[in-house]
Amino acid sequence: MRDTRLSEPSEPTEHYIFNDSQTIVLECGFQWDSVTDRDPIELERMTAHRAVRALAELCEGLIRPMTLGMTRNWVDEYSWPTDGNPPRWNWFLKTPQSPPDACSIYVDPQVIEVATLDERSVLTAVDRILDDPCEAPEGKRLAWEEMRICHTWARLPEPDRHIENDELRIDDHDNKARRVLVPLERANGRTWVTVPETSVWYPFLLRVNKSFGTVYSDGLEYDEFIEMTIDVNWSFWWHPGEGRTMLDQAVDRLLRQGWRNTNPQSRTHPQ
């Protein structure tokens, strides 16, 4: 069991776990006129693969996912969600490094065990999920709905500054606890951190889901949108400094690939 005893004295630390997440939201539009294969499941595969690649690009050097959840739903001919869920609608990817109590936030998960959560293994799992046999009711078809990464490690910025006596302590506002000992792991010259047992929020929560679009005003028509929500739960990566620079650089990589920020103020004026 991890040692989460409070150190003395109990003065607040410089950094903390937020009471509420600080959020960046990105979106990506798709135009299907130029796509020769209009098979609906192949269009689903294209948007799902784009989501996976964006998650991998965002996480590179910053976030280590320990689980990934994916859900499916029924949609009508206009891609609007309909009532009811298909069989095997909730899938949950785990690795040997996942927390022992890690589970899907939804009921009835189909669990997939993978050696590691990287782009290749997730793309393989996504294809398996999309191709899982499922007879659609009349007037409906199968679609993926969302992907979630809820259990994460994150790369600690400036470890020499924040670690004292080989320990990192952080205030946890949700649990009204000060100077909580944070688990550390060193790998390839980097220091990674994850949630203490007493805490609620992992360093980052990531979600990609289907969307109706919000900011595209370039005169082009898009047939479909996906949206990525990046919940930043620890101040290391939100307040100005090396951590925020690491996050902004990761987001900028997605912007260069055609994603757009739906709330630019969140990037230029951190709370």
Side-chain angles (χ1 to χ4, degrees):
M1 182 177 293
R2 300 168 185 149
D3 179 10
T4 56
R5 293 173 298 178
L6 303 185
S7 66
E8 296 294 340
S10 61
E11 291 84 2
T13 63
E14 178 185 1
H15 286 281
Y16 51 89
I17 299 173
F18 289 114
N19 283 321
D20 296 298
S21 299
Q22 308 297 315
T23 300
I24 295 172
V25 182
L26 310 175
E27 67 181 11
C28 182
F30 296 83
Q31 296 174 296
W32 298 136
D33 288 344
S34 60
V35 178
T36 56
D37 186 354
R38 303 295 290 275
D39 183 308
I41 198 64
E42 292 309 311
L43 299 185
E44 292 295 325
R45 198 182 313 277
M46 289 179 65
T47 58
H49 281 205
R50 185 67 175 269
V52 171
R53 293 189 175 106
L55 287 169
E57 188 70 35
L58 177 77
C59 290
E60 179 66 30
L62 176 63
I63 302 167
R64 279 174 27 200
M66 292 187 284
T67 63
L68 184 141
M70 181 173 177
T71 58
R72 314 191 297 180
N73 64 344
W74 297 126
V75 298
D76 62 20
E77 59 179 313
Y78 303 106
S79 298
W80 285 76
T82 64
D83 294 335
N85 289 321
R88 299 178 301 280
W89 65 278
N90 174 27
W91 300 73
F92 190 66
L93 279 64
K94 297 179 62 175
T95 76
Q97 293 75 42
S98 300
D101 60 348
C103 60
S104 171
I105 66 172
Y106 302 117
V107 300
D108 302 327
Q110 308 295 313
V111 178
I112 300 177
E113 300 280 352
V114 294
T116 184
L117 278 174
D118 56 19
E119 183 176 335
R120 177 179 294 183
S121 67
V122 175
L123 286 173
T124 299
V126 164
D127 285 339
R128 172 181 169 183
I129 293 167
L130 291 175
D131 294 333
D132 183 71
C134 191
E135 184 175 351
E138 184 177 355
K140 299 182 180 181
R141 66 174 181 84
L142 190 67
W144 71 275
E145 183 175 17
E146 71 170 8
M147 301 178 194
R148 283 181 176 266
I149 294 174
C150 295
H151 305 83
T152 57
W153 287 76
R155 181 183 169 190
L156 181 69
E158 302 176 288
D160 291 342
R161 171 185 170 188
H162 299 299
I163 297 176
E164 296 181 6
N165 299 323
D166 209 33
E167 291 183 350
L168 172 67
R169 294 186 180 269
I170 188 171
D171 295 334
D172 182 352
H173 285 186
D174 277 333
N175 290 294
K176 298 180 174 58
R178 287 182 174 175
R179 305 190 66 81
V180 178
L181 184 62
V182 173
L184 297 173
E185 181 178 289
R186 293 178 174 85
N188 300 321
R190 297 174 174 177
T191 301
W192 300 84
V193 295
T194 193
V195 66
E197 286 186 353
T198 59
S199 297
V200 176
W201 301 116
Y202 279 81
F204 288 90
L205 303 179
L206 308 175
R207 183 174 77 252
V208 183
N209 56 273
K210 298 294 185 67
S211 166
F212 295 108
T214 59
V215 301
Y216 281 75
S217 58
D218 52 15
L220 300 177
E221 293 187 3
Y222 295 86
D223 300 291
E224 195 161 5
F225 295 87
I226 58 176
E227 180 179 272
M228 176 184 292
T229 302
I230 307 164
D231 287 332
V232 188
N233 297 324
W234 295 20
S235 62
F236 290 109
W237 300 277
W238 191 259
H239 293 330
E242 181 184 343
R244 182 58 190 251
T245 298
M246 292 161 57
L247 173 60
D248 285 344
Q249 289 173 344
V251 171
D252 286 342
R253 291 196 295 267
L254 300 187
L255 298 180
R256 290 194 295 269
Q257 295 176 7
W259 288 77
R260 298 195 185 186
N261 198 309
T262 66
N263 182 15
Q265 294 299 316
S266 69
R267 305 242 2 256
T268 58
H269 298 288
Q271 301 295 316

